Amino acid sequence: MSTVTPTAARTTTPLRAVRDALDHLRDEPAPLWAPGSRARLTGWVAGSMVAWTVAGVAGTAALGALVRLAG
């Protein structure tokens, strides 16, 4: 008789979801400028611009908070 051990159900935490999304973005290349995927490339470029802008503003705000604490 064999015993069956239950496997732990994989729970998705917010940190794991973010890590999975970043892995997906890093590993998948940008879409090509082909007739069937031009809208996808446009969305990818626009999303990238928004993400980098948000990251820059957040970094600048964090640096400003640190300078304010020091001064």
Side-chain angles (χ1 to χ4, degrees):
M1 177 155 60
S2 65
T3 59
V4 177
T5 58
T7 58
R10 182 176 173 186
T11 57
T12 304
T13 62
L15 181 61
R16 180 67 183 171
V18 169
R19 185 179 301 157
D20 287 344
L22 290 176
D23 286 343
H24 175 71
L25 289 174
R26 182 178 53 231
D27 294 339
E28 185 176 318
L32 299 175
W33 183 257
S37 64
R38 288 186 179 158
R40 185 172 170 227
L41 176 65
T42 304
W44 186 85
V45 170
S48 178
M49 291 172 61
V50 169
W52 279 110
T53 301
V54 168
V57 169
T60 304
L63 185 61
L66 287 174
V67 169
R68 182 177 234 173
L69 286 174

